Amino acid sequence: MATSSRRMRAVQYDKYGGGAQALKHVEVPIPTPKKGEVLIKMEAGSINQVDWKFQKGVARPFMPNKFPFIPVYDLAGEVVELGRGVSSFKVGDKVIAINFPGGGGLAEYAVAQASRTAPRPPEVSAAVGACLPIAAVTALVALRTAGVSLDAGDGGGGGAKKNVLVTAASGGVGHFAVQLASAAGHRVTATCGARNAGLVGGLGADEVLGYATPEGAALRSPSGRRYDAVVHCAAVAGLPWSAFAPVLADAGVVVDLTPGAAAFATALRQRVTFSRKRLVPLFVSPTKEDMELVAGMVAEGKLRAVIESRHPLSRAEEGWARSMAGHATGKIIVEMGDEQ
């Protein structure tokens, strides 16, 4: 596929800030895959919190480090061109990929490193596949980091059944974490809004706490369980370590997926004082192997993606605004197929 003279539709922003209103629809050249890269004809991309947080400038000036920038890191589509040295894929392969920090997902074509691209089984649609690289893999790695065994060969810590708390359990990462922990036989307590209690229970949570209830506010299990592991997905400003400490088991671990400066300070203090209860700030870089693992679980019916809304590329800003509004149930998808 000769890409140098061809153009594609894309959505980009050219400065920090501005939210959905700052997204611009443009036509730009189709990228050419470099050594070790594949060119993907995009079918779907997934909007994550990190996309608009970077637009707001939380990692300024490093990400994005140049403008204009085409956002979205979760990619799903079909390989249409191979960069030099790529032998693990062929033209026509259906794939999922993560392209971080380069982004490019809000476009008709995107490039990704072949080493961070995984085959997409035929049972996994593009929309579902786009949900997996960041959200499902982050849930997987967070549980491993907390010492929660997910499978005999998965690399989690030990085989004992544990009490697991998942906050923001109806969100993108949380709904995968509930399923993964429950499927492995652990006892799962989950927090979410009241409207999503039925959904989260159906995903496998043994106990569901509404945010607005006294138990939910205190993260307190109705059965009195102390948590061995917490996957903290909620981006709740000011939720301190003191909110978790009373409900943890003696060697409980809180994996914080939205850590601020206070979380890093707490983790450092615990390390130097050899605290048995621990807070672990976590940023995940999805690997090909983990993407293959979660895609295989979806293909086998062991894991499912909850999609809150789908938006065509021509209205990508609607999905962006929905994600920024918070409290999305599951994932928000932008699709690049033929539009009505």
Side-chain angles (χ1 to χ4, degrees):
M1 177 183 180
T3 57
S4 58
S5 62
R6 297 192 58 192
R7 298 178 73 80
M8 65 178 184
R9 293 181 303 135
V11 177
Q12 64 185 29
Y13 56 86
D14 55 17
K15 62 181 180 180
Y16 291 114
Q21 293 77 19
L23 298 180
K24 298 179 179 179
H25 293 265
V26 296
E27 282 198 0
V28 296
I30 294 175
T32 299
K34 300 175 182 177
K35 181 180 178 181
E37 293 181 338
V38 296
L39 178 66
I40 299 170
K41 183 178 181 181
M42 289 290 293
E43 298 174 18
S46 172
I47 297 173
N48 293 282
Q49 286 188 19
V50 68
D51 292 304
W52 50 263
K53 285 184 176 181
F54 284 155
Q55 183 201 29
K56 290 177 73 172
V58 297
R60 177 190 314 213
F62 304 106
M63 288 184 286
N65 61 4
K66 64 179 180 179
F67 296 107
F69 181 73
I70 300 174
V72 170
Y73 306 105
D74 281 338
L75 317 178
E78 179 179 323
V79 174
V80 293
E81 188 176 341
L82 306 175
R84 186 162 53 90
V86 176
S87 59
S88 52
F89 294 99
K90 65 182 184 301
V91 171
D93 284 347
K94 299 289 189 179
V95 296
I96 59 175
I98 179 80
N99 188 30
F100 186 87
L106 287 188
E108 293 179 300
Y109 293 87
V111 293
Q113 289 286 331
S115 61
R116 303 184 77 187
T117 301
R120 173 160 56 90
E123 299 88 351
V124 181
S125 69
V128 169
C131 298
L132 304 178
I134 289 181
V137 171
T138 294
L140 181 79
V141 175
L143 288 164
R144 284 181 186 154
T145 302
V148 177
S149 176
L150 301 177
D151 183 86
D154 179 56
K161 303 307 179 190
K162 299 194 173 185
N163 296 325
V164 179
L165 171 67
V166 179
T167 67
S170 59
V173 176
H175 87 282
F176 285 122
V178 168
Q179 293 178 75
L180 290 166
S182 176
H186 301 285
R187 296 172 290 271
V188 180
T189 302
T191 69
C192 65
R195 68 186 176 92
N196 291 320
L199 168 69
V200 172
L203 294 175
D206 301 286
E207 301 174 333
V208 181
L209 309 179
Y211 290 132
T213 66
E215 291 82 5
L219 305 177
R220 189 170 59 245
S221 164
S223 61
R225 298 173 184 165
R226 300 281 178 165
Y227 306 117
D228 303 295
V230 178
V231 178
H232 180 42
C233 310
V236 180
L239 190 62
W241 168 252
S242 59
F244 296 105
V247 295
L248 290 179
D250 288 343
V253 178
V254 177
V255 176
D256 190 348
L257 300 178
T258 58
F264 287 98
T266 297
L268 179 60
R269 182 176 67 252
Q270 291 170 347
R271 178 171 292 188
V272 299
T273 59
F274 302 100
S275 173
R276 294 190 68 200
K277 295 182 180 181
R278 294 183 297 122
L279 180 117
V280 181
L282 182 66
F283 296 102
V284 175
S285 179
T287 65
K288 180 174 186 173
E289 293 74 20
D290 283 342
M291 287 190 287
E292 288 182 347
L293 177 61
V294 294
M297 294 179 71
V298 173
E300 295 169 6
K302 298 177 180 178
L303 187 68
R304 71 182 180 98
V306 174
I307 296 176
E308 172 173 282
S309 59
R310 303 177 186 224
H311 308 266
L313 183 61
S314 63
R315 300 202 301 274
E317 61 274 15
E318 295 175 1
W320 196 271
R322 181 69 192 92
S323 181
M324 290 189 72
H327 302 293
T329 302
K331 297 293 294 171
I332 296 171
I333 299 297
V334 176
E335 296 178 302
M336 289 72 177
D338 294 336
E339 302 189 25
Q340 303 298 317

Coordinates of all heavy atoms in Angstrom, one line a residue, residues 217-260:
A217 N -19.0 4.6 51.4 CA -18.1 5.7 51.8 C -17.0 5.3 52.6 O -15.8 5.8 52.5 CB -18.9 6.8 52.5
A218 N -17.2 4.3 53.5 CA -16.1 3.8 54.4 C -15.4 2.6 53.8 O -14.5 2.0 54.4 CB -16.7 3.4 55.7
L219 N -15.8 2.1 52.6 CA -15.2 1.0 51.9 C -15.3 -0.3 52.8 O -14.5 -1.2 52.7 CB -13.7 1.2 51.6 CG -13.4 2.4 50.7 CD1 -11.9 2.6 50.6 CD2 -14.1 2.4 49.4
R220 N -16.4 -0.4 53.6 CA -16.5 -1.4 54.6 C -17.4 -2.6 54.0 O -18.5 -2.4 53.6 CB -17.2 -0.8 55.8 CG -17.2 -1.7 57.0 CD -17.6 -1.0 58.3 NE -19.0 -0.4 58.2 CZ -19.2 0.9 58.2 NH1 -18.2 1.7 58.3 NH2 -20.4 1.4 58.1
S221 N -16.8 -3.7 54.1 CA -17.5 -4.9 53.6 C -18.7 -5.2 54.6 O -18.5 -5.3 55.8 CB -16.6 -6.1 53.6 OG -17.3 -7.4 53.5
P222 N -19.9 -5.5 54.0 CA -21.0 -5.8 54.9 C -20.8 -7.1 55.7 O -21.4 -7.3 56.8 CB -22.2 -6.1 53.8 CG -21.8 -5.3 52.7 CD -20.3 -5.4 52.6
S223 N -20.0 -8.0 55.2 CA -19.7 -9.3 55.9 C -18.5 -9.1 56.8 O -18.1 -10.1 57.5 CB -19.4 -10.4 54.9 OG -18.3 -10.1 54.1
G224 N -17.9 -7.9 56.9 CA -16.8 -7.7 57.8 C -15.5 -8.2 57.3 O -14.5 -8.3 58.0
R225 N -15.4 -8.5 56.0 CA -14.1 -9.0 55.4 C -13.1 -7.8 55.5 O -13.3 -6.7 55.3 CB -14.3 -9.3 54.0 CG -15.2 -10.5 53.7 CD -15.4 -10.6 52.2 NE -16.4 -11.7 51.9 CZ -17.0 -11.8 50.7 NH1 -16.7 -11.0 49.7 NH2 -17.9 -12.8 50.5
R226 N -11.8 -8.2 55.7 CA -10.7 -7.4 55.6 C -10.1 -7.7 54.2 O -9.9 -8.9 53.9 CB -9.7 -7.6 56.7 CG -10.2 -7.3 58.1 CD -10.3 -5.8 58.3 NE -10.8 -5.5 59.7 CZ -10.7 -4.3 60.3 NH1 -10.1 -3.3 59.7 NH2 -11.3 -4.1 61.4
Y227 N -9.7 -6.7 53.5 CA -9.2 -6.9 52.1 C -7.7 -7.3 52.0 O -6.9 -6.5 52.6 CB -9.5 -5.7 51.3 CG -10.9 -5.3 51.3 CD1 -11.3 -4.0 51.8 CD2 -12.0 -6.1 50.9 CE1 -12.6 -3.6 51.9 CE2 -13.3 -5.7 50.9 CZ -13.6 -4.4 51.5 OH -14.9 -4.0 51.5
D228 N -7.4 -8.4 51.3 CA -6.1 -8.7 51.1 C -5.5 -7.9 49.9 O -4.3 -7.6 49.8 CB -6.0 -10.2 50.7 CG -6.5 -11.1 51.8 OD1 -5.9 -11.1 52.9 OD2 -7.5 -11.8 51.5
A229 N -6.4 -7.5 49.0 CA -6.0 -6.7 47.8 C -7.0 -5.7 47.5 O -8.2 -6.0 47.5 CB -5.7 -7.7 46.7
V230 N -6.6 -4.5 47.1 CA -7.5 -3.5 46.6 C -7.0 -3.0 45.2 O -5.8 -2.7 45.1 CB -7.6 -2.3 47.6 CG1 -8.5 -1.2 47.0 CG2 -8.1 -2.7 48.9
V231 N -7.9 -3.0 44.2 CA -7.6 -2.4 43.0 C -8.4 -1.1 43.0 O -9.6 -1.0 42.8 CB -8.0 -3.3 41.8 CG1 -7.7 -2.5 40.5 CG2 -7.2 -4.6 41.8
H232 N -7.6 0.0 43.2 CA -8.3 1.3 43.3 C -8.3 2.1 42.0 O -7.3 2.6 41.5 CB -7.5 2.2 44.4 CG -8.1 3.5 44.6 ND1 -9.5 3.7 44.7 CD2 -7.5 4.8 44.7 CE1 -9.7 5.0 44.9 NE2 -8.5 5.7 44.9
C233 N -9.5 2.0 41.3 CA -9.6 2.6 40.0 C -10.2 4.0 40.1 O -10.1 4.8 39.1 CB -10.5 1.7 39.1 SG -10.1 0.0 39.1
A234 N -10.9 4.3 41.2 CA -11.6 5.6 41.2 C -10.7 6.8 41.3 O -9.8 6.8 42.1 CB -12.5 5.6 42.5
A235 N -11.0 7.7 40.4 CA -10.2 9.0 40.4 C -10.8 9.9 41.4 O -11.3 11.0 41.1 CB -10.1 9.5 39.0
V236 N -10.7 9.6 42.7 CA -11.4 10.4 43.7 C -10.3 11.3 44.4 O -9.4 10.8 45.1 CB -12.1 9.5 44.8 CG1 -12.7 10.4 45.9 CG2 -13.1 8.6 44.2
A237 N -10.4 12.5 44.1 CA -9.4 13.5 44.7 C -9.5 13.5 46.2 O -10.6 13.5 46.8 CB -9.7 14.9 44.2
G238 N -8.4 13.3 46.9 CA -8.4 13.4 48.3 C -8.7 12.2 49.1 O -8.8 12.2 50.3
L239 N -8.9 11.0 48.4 CA -9.1 9.8 49.1 C -7.8 9.3 49.7 O -6.9 8.8 49.0 CB -9.7 8.7 48.2 CG -10.2 7.4 48.9 CD1 -11.4 7.8 49.8 CD2 -10.7 6.4 47.8
P240 N -7.6 9.5 51.0 CA -6.3 9.2 51.6 C -6.0 7.8 51.9 O -7.0 6.9 51.9 CB -6.3 10.1 52.8 CG -7.8 10.1 53.2 CD -8.6 10.0 51.9
W241 N -4.8 7.5 52.2 CA -4.4 6.1 52.7 C -5.3 5.8 53.9 O -5.6 4.6 54.1 CB -2.9 6.1 53.0 CG -2.5 4.9 53.8 CD1 -2.2 4.8 55.1 CD2 -2.4 3.5 53.3 NE1 -1.9 3.5 55.5 CE2 -2.0 2.7 54.4 CE3 -2.7 3.0 52.0 CZ2 -1.8 1.3 54.2 CZ3 -2.5 1.6 51.9 CH2 -2.1 0.8 53.0
S242 N -5.6 6.8 54.8 CA -6.4 6.5 56.0 C -7.8 5.9 55.7 O -8.4 5.3 56.5 CB -6.5 7.7 56.8 OG -7.2 8.8 56.1
A243 N -8.3 6.1 54.4 CA -9.5 5.5 54.1 C -9.4 4.0 53.8 O -10.4 3.2 54.0 CB -10.1 6.1 52.8
F244 N -8.2 3.5 53.5 CA -8.0 2.1 53.2 C -7.5 1.3 54.4 O -7.8 0.2 54.6 CB -7.0 2.0 52.0 CG -7.5 2.5 50.7 CD1 -7.0 3.7 50.2 CD2 -8.4 1.8 50.0 CE1 -7.4 4.2 49.0 CE2 -8.9 2.3 48.7 CZ -8.4 3.5 48.3
A245 N -6.6 2.0 55.1 CA -5.9 1.2 56.2 C -6.8 0.5 57.2 O -6.5 -0.7 57.5 CB -5.0 2.2 57.0
P246 N -7.9 1.0 57.6 CA -8.8 0.3 58.5 C -9.5 -0.9 58.0 O -9.9 -1.8 58.7 CB -9.8 1.3 58.9 CG -9.3 2.7 58.6 CD -8.5 2.4 57.4
V247 N -9.6 -1.0 56.6 CA -10.3 -2.2 56.0 C -9.4 -3.2 55.4 O -9.8 -4.2 54.8 CB -11.3 -1.7 55.0 CG1 -12.4 -0.8 55.6 CG2 -10.6 -0.9 53.9
L248 N -8.1 -3.0 55.6 CA -7.1 -3.9 55.0 C -6.8 -5.1 56.0 O -6.7 -4.9 57.2 CB -5.8 -3.2 54.6 CG -5.8 -2.3 53.5 CD1 -4.5 -1.7 53.3 CD2 -6.3 -3.0 52.2
A249 N -6.5 -6.2 55.4 CA -5.9 -7.3 56.2 C -4.5 -6.9 56.6 O -3.9 -5.9 56.2 CB -5.8 -8.6 55.4
D250 N -3.8 -7.7 57.5 CA -2.6 -7.3 58.1 C -1.5 -7.0 57.0 O -0.6 -6.2 57.2 CB -2.0 -8.4 59.0 CG -2.9 -8.4 60.3 OD1 -3.6 -7.4 60.6 OD2 -2.8 -9.4 61.0
A251 N -1.5 -7.8 55.9 CA -0.6 -7.6 54.8 C -1.3 -7.2 53.5 O -0.8 -7.5 52.4 CB 0.2 -8.9 54.6
G252 N -2.3 -6.4 53.7 CA -3.1 -5.9 52.6 C -2.4 -5.0 51.7 O -1.5 -4.2 52.1
V253 N -2.7 -5.1 50.4 CA -2.0 -4.2 49.3 C -3.1 -3.4 48.6 O -4.0 -4.0 48.1 CB -1.2 -5.1 48.4 CG1 -0.6 -4.2 47.3 CG2 -0.1 -5.9 49.1
V254 N -2.9 -2.1 48.5 CA -3.7 -1.3 47.7 C -2.9 -0.9 46.4 O -1.9 -0.3 46.5 CB -4.1 0.0 48.4 CG1 -5.0 0.9 47.5 CG2 -4.9 -0.3 49.7
V255 N -3.4 -1.2 45.2 CA -2.8 -0.8 44.0 C -3.6 0.4 43.5 O -4.8 0.3 43.2 CB -2.8 -2.0 43.0 CG1 -2.2 -1.5 41.6 CG2 -2.0 -3.2 43.5
D256 N -2.9 1.5 43.4 CA -3.6 2.8 43.1 C -3.3 3.1 41.6 O -2.1 3.3 41.2 CB -3.0 3.9 43.9 CG -3.8 5.2 43.8 OD1 -4.6 5.3 42.8 OD2 -3.6 6.1 44.6
L257 N -4.4 3.1 40.8 CA -4.2 3.3 39.3 C -4.3 4.7 38.9 O -4.1 5.1 37.8 CB -5.2 2.4 38.6 CG -5.2 0.9 38.8 CD1 -6.3 0.2 38.1 CD2 -3.8 0.4 38.4
T258 N -4.7 5.6 39.9 CA -4.8 7.0 39.6 C -4.0 7.8 40.7 O -4.5 8.7 41.3 CB -6.2 7.5 39.5 OG1 -6.9 7.2 40.8 CG2 -7.0 6.8 38.4
P259 N -2.7 7.5 40.9 CA -2.0 8.0 42.0 C -1.6 9.5 41.8 O -1.3 9.9 40.7 CB -0.7 7.2 42.0 CG -0.5 6.7 40.6 CD -1.9 6.5 40.1
G260 N -1.7 10.2 42.9 CA -1.2 11.6 43.0 C 0.1 11.6 43.8 O 0.6 10.6 44.2

